[in-house]
Amino acid sequence: MSQMSSSYDPKSVEGPIFESWTKGGYFSAEVVEGVRPYCVVIPPPNVTGSLHMGHALNNTIQDVVVRRQRMTGRPTRWVVGTDHAGIATQNKVEQKLAAEGRTRHQVGRESFVEACWEWRREHGSTIIGQLKAMGCSCDYDDEWFTMDPSYQAAVRRVFVEWYQAGLIYRGKRIINWCPRCSTALSDIEVEHEDVDSHLWHLRYPLKSPVAGVDHVVVATTRPETMLGDACIAVHPDDERYRALVGSVVLLPLMGREIPIVADSYVDPSFGTGAVKVTPAHDPNDFEIGERHDCAKINVMNADATISNEGGAYAGLDRYEARKKIIADLDAQGLLVKTDDHVHSVGHCYRCHTIIEPWLSDQWFVDMKPLAQPAIEAVRDGRVAFHPKRWENVYFHWMENIRDWCISRQLWWGHRIPVFHCDACGEMVASIEDVERCPKCGSSSVRQDEDVLDTWFSSQLWPFATLGWPEPDPRVDYYYPTSVLSTARDILFLWVARMVMSGMYFNDGKVPFDDVIIHPTVFNAEGRRMSKSLGTGVDPLDLMEHYGADGMRFGLMLQVTGAQDLKFSEEKLLSSRNFANKIWNASRFVLMNLDDYVPGEPVAHTVADRWILSRLADLSTRVSEGLDTYEFGEVARLLYDFFWNEYCDWYIELAKGRLHEGGEARESVQRVLVFVLDTALRLLHPMMPFVTEEIWRSLPLSAADKAPSLMVAGWPDAAALAQHADEGAERSIGRIIEIVTGIRAVRSRYKLPNKALLEVVFKTQGDSERQWVDNEFGQMAALAGVSSFSAGVDATKPAHSATVIASGMEVYVPLEGLVDFEAEARRLTSEAQKLSGELDKFNRKLSNEGFLAKASPDIIAKDRAKAAEVSEALGLVQAQLAELA
RNA sequence: GGGCGAUUAGCUCAGGGGGAGAGCACUUCCUUGACACGGAAGGGGUCGCAGGUUCAAAUCCUGCAUCGCCCACCA
């Protein structure tokens, strides 16, 4: 705290503090033999990305757990880096070229890839800088990129091993094709959306009538695919069509003869019960086509225009072709009807273009054998999801897993390490580039043109970033990593695949013990935050307004077990104010330490015992809350303790003892410093900057000191537990009740703040009188009380208001200012409230079922409460009688 | 078609079988030597609806409604 300004200024603090962390080398960890490390790998943001709210939330969560673990003294490492993001990056670079009026095909593959690297060099570290601004304590000296040479080696190793194990194969299949990105996509990269469309009923004439029937009507949502129809399918048991099976239909517009086949896939209740089958353009039709040995006629080009197989429609865009085909069929009287129909249409997750199911040669991973051990790992708890319910989502997907299409027709990415021999047709997967065919020796060998799905490389992140497959001691030391925190939308794309590949390549060891699925951040209207829709909030702006700590703490306050988070900026405002509160409370403590000598805190007063007891409780609950990833709960605990207990009560009462000097001053200084020190440690993971800045100014004994709060010790809850003190908590609770009651009188009767009060306690026994004498005196100033007396036989002074707290009457003389009617009204409403409560208790306590079945301690508690309420009611009624 | 989540104060949300909570907003008072990004005192809720279990339900169970997600090869 170099300057003692009365408000915390994040901008002047964050830069220098971060720099000092970097200089101190606290972000890196050393291998310490025999000590289990803590390791987290960051979900690598896309190189094309800049920080959005999801990142802000996710990386705050990771930094909180990482900083906490680092403070416990474990070697702690947070691996950072970026993802090459195949499609996203390629799109960016293509856009750049387009602005210059060029296409990637014009510049060629080699130059295009070079342009991608160039793009990464220019923009790739933007997001890393933003993580630093947030205060994230990643190991920035060891930054990874999924296209690093060593990472490429890992990818090739994985591909080749899986290929050789028969888990990777090539096949001609219906895949999801994005005509704009011009690449295949995996099933989970397709986003389905309901679209208002039509179900067109088309009449297909029979070549020759059968049993008086001369046509069959089919229903379709994609009429343009009819150009590639290979047969008509009906259900074998469908009486309507039984006679037609085996006969031939003349495909309209194309004039092709196609058969009617029977296949049990067909649902007789849908549409007309007759399905046009287009094996090259629909996965189900593909299967039917296989069963009936039909031709697979591909009527579409890669850009979704109609191919040369499409006769007169060749060259038309798919939707123009649709219109024209409908019109032409209508003109020929073959359009029977057009029904409105809502159906689900797949869109590209990168560019939102409608995808086309398309027949092409692609590479696949056989997932079932990989999924089985990964299911078991979650089943038996080796990998635990938080919240637990996500396990079911994981199981459902894993148990129904389908093969993964991993080839992409892009240029930016890991090129598939398979070499084709043009001479003999041999195909070989190899870690090293292949110059000559190992089979025939020919040199006419070329590498496969396709690159791998970006997620193929991302799935290796937890071990490729530790140096695998090279023999690297870090793999043995840091793998498995400790926790993975991520958004739910990449549970399948990334998390599940990391478990599968991680186990496969690390002797069955899972890649992480815990998975945190954090809530998705939505805006105030409950809409997804999106830059393009302008519905987002920029974390950089938020840090500008609230400081990095304010943003972080404000986010932590909002993290609960829910699956959505409607972002509330007010929480950030509270958090900024909280940082300021911490700053000023600390400033107050430091201002009163000029004569301070560090030393152990010793509780001298009940207040000391109380705050230490509360601190012990806080410490336990914060550690437990972080262990179970209950960030919202932890943030609230810290906020309540620091503001409502330490500031509002302990510091306020400390003021008197500080002024008193001598031993009183020394003892309260010790406790003030000790509690502040511990609280700052507990707060540090969530608010690293402000806590570090203050902590460095604290005069601590050599044993407690460290070069940085980042590497200072995490409070030991077990050691602090010795301060637990129920008696002190009860006692201070009572005092708070009394002080608050007296303040309420002051407020109600508009007594000037400066008016010092002389109050009288009517106690119920000598021990209570003694308690008032001993304890209340220390806190009298908080109520503006200058003097007080207490006694069993105390009498109420004339013109005084009465406070009833904890079964005691406290009389506050008002010098004739009492508005008796107001006081009577107040007492009347108080009496009503109390008698209502009393009724409830009495009903409960006279219920035989309750007395027979409720646990004894509940009954005892309720009896005590009832007695208390009854007593208070009696006192209030006595007051009322007096006023009447 | 399956599954999941949400429904509590004006707003954002905690809580979770035994006297309804926080932050913000609101009302009144207070620039007192830590802090007006502050202090003090207040007002405000039949905890979505209907059943059920229980001595006791905002809390557990069942159904329903509304909103939102996810999965699924209904042409």
Side-chain angles (χ1 to χ4, degrees):
Chain A
M1 269 182 122
S2 44
Q3 22 79 294
M4 297 286 268
S5 160
S6 67
S7 68
Y8 171 58
D9 175 27
K11 278 190 206 106
S12 66
V13 168
E14 290 170 5
I17 287 285
F18 193 87
E19 198 174 319
S20 76
W21 287 334
T22 306
K23 279 203 186 118
Y26 311 128
F27 294 144
S28 304
E30 280 169 26
V31 171
V32 181
E33 290 306 331
V35 180
R36 197 177 167 219
Y38 195 82
C39 182
V40 172
V41 291
I42 198 168
N46 288 352
V47 274
T48 55
S50 68
L51 202 69
H52 60 237
M53 286 311 296
H55 292 128
L57 174 64
N58 192 203
N59 290 304
T60 300
I61 287 172
Q62 290 169 75
D63 201 35
V64 167
V65 299
V66 162
R67 282 181 181 272
R68 184 277 183 101
Q69 290 297 153
R70 188 182 289 114
M71 287 174 75
T72 67
R74 292 168 76 176
T76 299
R77 184 154 178 262
W78 185 6
V79 178
V80 73
T82 48
D83 193 290
H84 70 278
I87 299 179
T89 307
Q90 178 152 332
N91 285 351
K92 289 271 182 192
V93 176
E94 282 183 329
Q95 279 162 21
K96 200 176 153 196
L97 287 177
E100 301 160 9
R102 294 190 295 168
T103 68
R104 70 178 158 110
H105 297 284
Q106 286 167 344
V107 303
R109 184 167 189 152
E110 204 171 315
S111 318
F112 183 81
V113 169
E114 182 43 46
C116 291
W117 280 105
E118 183 61 32
W119 199 92
R120 145 144 169 95
R121 280 190 289 273
E122 272 178 42
H123 306 281
S125 56
T126 303
I127 199 159
I128 303 290
Q130 294 168 335
L131 292 173
K132 290 178 179 173
M134 280 182 60
C136 292
S137 61
C138 312
D139 185 355
Y140 296 102
D141 290 339
D142 190 30
E143 182 186 326
W144 287 78
F145 180 53
T146 55
M147 288 280 281
D148 285 338
S150 62
Y151 207 105
Q152 296 206 32
V155 169
R156 283 180 82 144
R157 169 75 168 269
V158 165
F159 187 99
V160 170
E161 283 201 25
W162 274 353
Y163 180 85
Q164 286 168 354
L167 291 167
I168 287 181
Y169 64 93
R170 186 172 155 86
K172 206 177 185 75
R173 295 287 155 81
I174 301 284
I175 45 76
N176 307 290
W177 183 262
C178 174
R180 201 220 60 85
C181 300
S182 195
T183 183
L185 298 173
S186 68
D187 295 333
I188 45 177
E189 287 170 310
V190 177
E191 290 175 354
H192 291 274
E193 243 174 69
D194 278 351
V195 170
D196 287 325
S197 179
H198 303 286
L199 191 59
W200 286 276
H201 288 65
L202 313 180
R203 182 197 305 264
Y204 284 14
L206 288 174
K207 190 178 171 192
S208 45
V210 177
V213 179
D214 66 351
H215 70 272
V216 57
V217 176
V218 297
T220 180
T221 54
R222 293 190 295 148
E224 65 280 7
T225 61
M226 62 85 62
L227 302 173
D229 281 358
C231 66
I232 304 295
V234 296
H235 196 274
D237 302 333
D238 192 335
E239 295 297 341
R240 294 171 295 177
Y241 299 110
R242 181 162 282 173
L244 300 186
V245 172
S247 56
V248 172
V249 159
L250 272 179
L251 183 62
L253 308 180
M254 300 301 285
R256 198 159 59 231
E257 294 186 4
I258 59 175
I260 296 177
V261 303
D263 195 290
S264 54
Y265 163 79
V266 179
D267 173 6
S269 67
F270 188 88
T272 62
V275 186
K276 60 184 269 317
V277 177
T278 320
H281 296 278
D282 182 281
N284 298 311
D285 292 8
F286 181 87
E287 308 253 315
I288 297 172
E290 289 280 274
R291 288 196 284 273
H292 301 279
D293 202 23
C294 295
K296 302 178 184 71
I297 305 156
N298 193 336
V299 298
M300 234 176 257
N301 297 315
D303 62 355
T305 57
I306 303 300
S307 75
N308 291 334
E309 298 278 2
Y313 303 90
L316 289 180
D317 174 77
R318 53 184 165 168
Y319 298 119
E320 286 174 41
R322 175 179 295 181
K323 266 191 237 163
K324 193 158 189 305
I325 287 166
I326 299 286
D328 291 350
L329 289 169
D330 198 17
Q332 295 180 28
L334 299 176
L335 178 63
V336 178
K337 63 171 175 172
T338 306
D339 288 344
D340 287 339
H341 183 69
V342 177
H343 71 134
S344 165
V345 175
H347 295 74
C348 172
Y349 86 131
R350 281 289 166 215
C351 71
H352 215 68
T353 301
I354 294 180
I355 64 104
E356 202 62 44
W358 202 51
L359 184 66
S360 62
D361 282 310
Q362 301 291 344
W363 291 92
F364 297 87
V365 180
D366 177 10
M367 300 305 285
K368 284 223 153 56
L370 295 170
Q372 206 45 50
I375 290 169
E376 281 156 24
V378 174
R379 192 82 68 196
D380 65 23
R382 277 174 287 156
V383 175
F385 280 83
H386 307 269
K388 193 171 165 56
R389 72 182 121 87
W390 291 104
E391 289 178 0
N392 289 328
V393 180
Y394 172 90
F395 289 138
H396 184 257
W397 188 72
M398 292 289 271
E399 279 157 7
N400 296 287
I401 201 160
R402 292 186 297 164
D403 286 0
W404 175 15
C405 175
I406 52 171
S407 43
R408 296 290 177 274
Q409 288 63 49
L410 305 173
W411 286 351
W412 175 239
H414 295 271
R415 196 157 167 182
I416 288 178
V418 168
F419 298 82
H420 303 268
C421 174
D422 286 332
C424 71
E426 174 71 354
M427 198 162 72
V428 54
S430 167
I431 288 171
E432 303 300 327
D433 282 356
V434 172
E435 307 289 337
R436 280 186 178 282
C437 176
K439 193 174 170 194
C440 72
S442 161
S443 62
S444 54
V445 169
R446 56 182 173 81
Q447 184 169 2
D448 200 285
E449 295 293 321
D450 290 350
V451 300
L452 289 161
D453 180 2
T454 301
W455 298 105
F456 190 91
S457 54
S458 314
Q459 68 174 332
L460 317 179
W461 191 249
F463 51 102
T465 55
L466 299 175
W468 188 93
E470 291 306 310
D472 189 317
R474 287 177 304 181
V475 182
D476 293 331
Y477 192 61
Y478 289 110
Y479 189 98
T481 68
S482 308
V483 60
L484 181 93
S485 174
T486 189
R488 63 173 189 260
D489 54 354
I490 52 176
L491 179 58
F492 308 142
L493 283 167
W494 191 49
V495 180
R497 288 165 177 170
M498 280 191 286
V499 179
M500 293 186 275
S501 65
M503 292 180 74
Y504 189 93
F505 291 102
N506 294 277
D507 305 319
K509 282 189 286 181
V510 297
F512 26 73
D513 302 327
D514 287 325
V515 178
I516 298 171
I517 305 288
H518 67 246
T520 304
V521 184
F522 292 94
N523 67 10
E525 289 77 47
R527 304 240 305 273
R528 189 173 283 277
M529 285 204 176
S530 150
K531 204 183 264 179
S532 55
L533 295 174
T535 53
V537 178
D538 186 346
L540 299 175
D541 290 343
L542 295 175
M543 283 194 270
E544 184 73 19
H545 289 307
Y546 306 107
D549 290 334
M551 182 184 73
R552 292 167 59 119
F553 199 82
L555 284 170
M556 290 300 93
L557 279 170
Q558 299 179 61
V559 178
T560 66
Q563 67 179 22
D564 300 337
L565 182 165
K566 243 196 264 179
F567 179 70
S568 146
E569 197 162 331
E570 284 79 41
K571 293 284 197 310
L572 274 58
L573 183 66
S574 312
S575 300
R576 181 200 64 173
N577 295 350
F578 183 44
N580 194 236
K581 188 74 178 180
I582 296 169
W583 178 263
N584 278 298
S586 305
R587 206 161 60 95
F588 171 79
V589 172
L590 289 168
M591 277 174 183
N592 284 287
L593 297 180
D594 43 300
D595 57 340
Y596 179 68
V597 181
E600 284 297 301
V602 178
H604 281 240
T605 66
V606 66
D608 291 345
R609 290 192 282 125
W610 169 73
I611 197 69
L612 291 171
S613 178
R614 298 304 304 138
L615 181 71
D617 181 60
L618 175 76
S619 165
T620 304
R621 290 161 72 164
V622 166
S623 285
E624 285 174 359
L626 291 178
D627 286 342
T628 48
Y629 309 118
E630 290 168 285
F631 301 103
E633 170 75 2
V634 169
R636 254 171 269 121
L637 286 168
L638 289 164
Y639 185 99
D640 289 343
F641 172 82
F642 199 90
W643 201 314
N644 303 131
E645 298 185 316
Y646 186 64
C647 291
D648 287 352
W649 294 99
Y650 191 74
I651 286 185
E652 288 309 319
L653 81 87
K655 287 176 180 173
R657 289 161 70 194
L658 285 169
H659 286 140
E660 210 176 300
E663 270 185 37
R665 179 173 167 88
E666 189 186 324
S667 70
V668 79
Q669 282 174 330
R670 291 265 169 88
V671 177
L672 279 168
V673 170
F674 178 76
V675 175
L676 180 58
D677 171 28
T678 308
L680 289 174
R681 290 173 199 246
L682 294 170
L683 281 158
H684 181 259
M686 290 188 175
M687 302 187 113
F689 291 109
V690 69
T691 52
E692 176 81 85
E693 177 70 7
I694 295 164
W695 192 79
R696 288 185 184 175
S697 301
L698 284 187
L700 300 179
S701 65
D704 293 332
K705 209 60 202 168
S708 162
L709 180 51
M710 256 189 86
V711 291
W714 181 252
D716 179 352
L720 282 166
Q722 60 164 316
H723 294 296
D725 190 332
E726 263 185 61
E729 297 210 15
R730 257 201 313 278
S731 195
I732 294 294
R734 203 172 185 191
I735 283 183
I736 288 173
E737 197 182 346
I738 293 165
V739 169
T740 304
I742 296 171
R743 283 170 174 172
V745 169
R746 184 187 283 281
S747 168
R748 196 177 314 128
Y749 297 110
K750 313 236 187 302
L751 304 184
N753 276 9
K754 295 197 173 82
L756 293 177
L757 307 174
E758 299 174 20
V759 301
V760 177
F761 288 82
K762 185 178 171 105
T763 56
Q764 294 180 322
D766 268 355
S767 67
E768 201 168 66
R769 184 186 53 74
Q770 249 173 15
W771 177 84
V772 173
D773 284 344
N774 292 343
E775 311 301 351
F776 181 72
Q778 299 168 44
M779 293 184 85
L782 301 193
V785 169
S786 59
S787 68
F788 62 95
S789 63
V792 180
D793 50 3
T795 51
K796 182 181 177 186
H799 307 299
S800 58
T802 306
V803 174
I804 294 155
S806 303
M808 253 186 281
E809 282 177 89
V810 185
Y811 307 122
V812 183
L814 295 170
E815 304 264 350
L817 290 172
V818 181
D819 175 346
F820 286 100
E821 284 186 18
E823 182 72 353
R825 273 198 305 276
R826 196 197 115 248
L827 288 167
T828 305
S829 97
E830 184 72 12
Q832 271 169 4
K833 212 174 103 191
L834 288 170
S835 82
E837 280 184 39
L838 188 59
D839 279 353
K840 260 163 89 178
F841 280 116
N842 283 341
R843 249 178 283 133
K844 200 166 166 184
L845 287 165
S846 59
N847 181 331
E848 282 176 29
F850 174 71
L851 296 173
K853 298 191 178 173
S855 78
D857 55 313
I858 290 286
I859 296 172
K861 229 171 101 187
D862 279 357
R863 283 212 169 106
K865 285 184 209 157
E868 206 178 291
V869 171
S870 159
E871 194 181 339
L873 179 61
L875 293 172
V876 168
Q877 280 164 343
Q879 295 297 314
L880 269 170
E882 209 173 297
L883 285 174

